[in-house]
Amino acid sequence: MMMDIALFAAGFAAGTFGALLGIGGGVIVVPVLVLFAKIPIRIAIGTSFIAVLATSLSAASSYLKKGLCDIETGIRLEMATVTGAAIGAYLAGAVNPRVLQTAFAVILVYVSFAMLRKKGAAGKQSAFRSGLSRNQGHVADAVSFFAGIISGSLGVGGGLVKVPLLHRLLNFPMAEAIATSSYMIGITVATSTLVFTFRGDVDPYIAAPLVVGIFLGASQGARFMPKIPEKVLKVSFSLLLLYFSARFLIMGVG
Amino acid sequence: MGGNLDRKLAFLFRVFLYLSISAMIAGKIIHRFQSRVGDVTVNAGVYLIILCPLIGLLTVMFDSYRSGKRKLFLLSLAVSSLILLIMTVFLAAGRT
């Protein structure tokens, strides 16, 4: 029972931060499960996928209602992302857990710095429907494949790769880049989760309180959003991620 | 506001999410009295949430077929087939 309450609280915190900062929550859930609940990293990654899926579906549902998702471009890029996710999920089961811990530490450092540089979701909200040129398509496929590998192997959504790809390379307005990325994350993470589930690396009893916490936390986060200064939030979250990263690095290398 | 397909997908995602969360909570409670039934219910919740984006893909596929959007139909068919192929390979690998 105490474990359930702790997991619910962790999910709630991840959901709140996720909503405040526009991330899926995997970068919080995996460290909490590994460092505090002492769950093996593979199970933590597999279970984190369920939490990321809940966040992604909830966000995508709202964005779809507003007509912000470019479904065609999203599905087009998913060809590469899904392939990368399956390879990443396979690699996560094949490599030494220490390699995963070190890779996760590196990703946390990247997310931490990317978070500080990230601008808000403000931007043109016009309906945007894109067509990819051949060159854009090749680069976008390569980046999507890379995002899939990261997502599939480390239990994160990969939004911090997908959003810049859509916004900078494919010239999506920021709001539509975030919306399309949320839709894409659902498909990518579902594929990775299937691989982890077949391997027995998902614990439904850990996932249940986490998902409920994330779901409720996300709605609270959206409510608190206007009250907390963005800079304070970003700096404190980045420091937290750097702390997690240091702990993972010590576990992985030490 | 979103189009017809967007609204269908939004509704589908929300329904599956609520069903999945309800099943997970119910499963955790039932597990205290009937562990087997609790296990099945929690697992059903997990599978509901995993299958939701894939059912969304099938919805896109059928909707685009009916409305004559050939490119979107082919894309969704290709991604669905790819996921099915990945599922088959990993399911087979798990059995051997």
Side-chain angles (χ1 to χ4, degrees):
Chain A
M1 188 65 187
M2 283 310 289
M3 182 69 164
D4 286 347
I5 294 170
L7 288 170
F8 173 82
F12 191 85
T16 310
F17 267 119
L20 286 168
L21 298 162
I23 56 170
V27 287
I28 307 170
V29 171
V30 176
V32 167
L33 292 181
V34 174
L35 300 175
F36 301 111
K38 305 289 176 203
I39 291 164
I41 190 159
R42 268 185 211 139
I43 308 282
I45 289 173
T47 309
S48 154
F49 279 135
I50 306 290
V52 175
L53 257 177
T55 322
S56 153
L57 290 178
S58 175
S61 169
S62 309
Y63 292 134
L64 280 162
K65 256 193 228 168
K66 292 176 188 163
L68 289 171
C69 292
D70 186 339
I71 295 175
E72 191 173 310
T73 306
I75 293 179
R76 154 81 178 74
L77 295 176
E78 274 306 298
M79 284 293 287
T81 319
V82 160
T83 311
I87 293 171
Y90 170 75
L91 286 176
V95 301
N96 191 314
R98 280 169 179 259
V99 176
L100 286 178
Q101 283 157 353
T102 312
F104 205 88
V106 174
I107 281 294
L108 286 175
V109 172
Y110 168 74
V111 173
S112 168
F113 285 105
M115 187 66 61
L116 289 173
R117 286 175 49 211
K118 194 171 150 189
K119 293 192 177 88
K124 285 185 288 177
Q125 300 258 333
S126 60
F128 176 89
R129 293 292 177 265
S130 72
L132 301 183
S133 72
R134 180 171 285 219
N135 275 344
Q136 269 183 325
H138 291 324
V139 178
D141 282 338
V143 178
S144 298
F145 180 73
F146 174 68
I149 289 183
I150 290 176
S151 171
S153 56
L154 299 177
V156 296
L160 282 158
V161 179
K162 286 174 187 165
V163 174
L165 163 76
L166 292 165
H167 181 53
R168 294 199 187 133
L169 184 73
L170 305 182
N171 302 319
F172 273 53
M174 195 58 172
E176 300 208 356
I178 292 172
T180 307
S181 160
S182 292
Y183 173 71
M184 288 171 67
I185 286 170
I187 301 172
T188 312
V189 171
T191 310
S192 316
T193 318
L194 281 170
V195 176
F196 273 75
T197 309
F198 292 152
R199 212 169 38 215
D201 284 344
V202 175
D203 188 334
Y205 282 96
I206 297 172
L210 264 179
V211 169
V212 177
I214 280 208
F215 189 68
L216 295 176
S219 57
Q220 287 302 311
R223 195 177 293 175
F224 285 130
M225 193 183 270
K227 295 178 187 164
I228 305 172
E230 195 183 339
K231 197 166 183 185
V232 173
L233 196 69
K234 280 182 179 175
V235 170
S236 53
F237 186 70
S238 295
L239 289 173
L240 180 72
L241 290 189
L242 286 176
Y243 164 73
F244 285 156
S245 169
R247 293 277 308 263
F248 269 112
L249 211 56
I250 291 166
M251 283 168 78
V253 181
Chain B
M1 294 296 281
N4 195 23
L5 175 61
D6 292 22
R7 282 201 302 275
K8 270 186 207 166
L9 285 177
F11 176 73
L12 181 88
F13 286 176
R14 204 142 278 270
V15 167
F16 266 75
L17 192 58
Y18 286 137
L19 275 177
S20 163
I21 289 175
S22 309
M24 283 185 200
I25 295 171
K28 287 284 282 188
I29 296 166
I30 295 169
H31 185 75
R32 294 183 183 281
F33 313 104
Q34 270 281 344
S35 63
R36 180 86 185 119
V37 180
D39 284 348
V40 172
T41 317
V42 171
N43 276 310
V46 168
Y47 277 104
L48 271 175
I49 208 166
I50 297 173
L51 290 178
C52 175
L54 309 179
I55 293 171
L57 258 182
L58 293 181
T59 309
V60 174
M61 197 170 93
F62 287 120
D63 192 273
S64 53
Y65 178 75
R66 280 174 53 189
S67 55
K69 293 174 188 162
R70 193 165 169 269
K71 193 180 170 192
L72 185 57
F73 168 70
L74 289 175
L75 282 172
S76 48
L77 178 68
V79 176
S80 310
S81 309
L82 181 63
I83 294 173
L84 207 61
L85 180 70
I86 290 167
M87 272 174 70
T88 312
V89 168
F90 280 94
L91 202 58
R95 297 256 176 237
T96 53

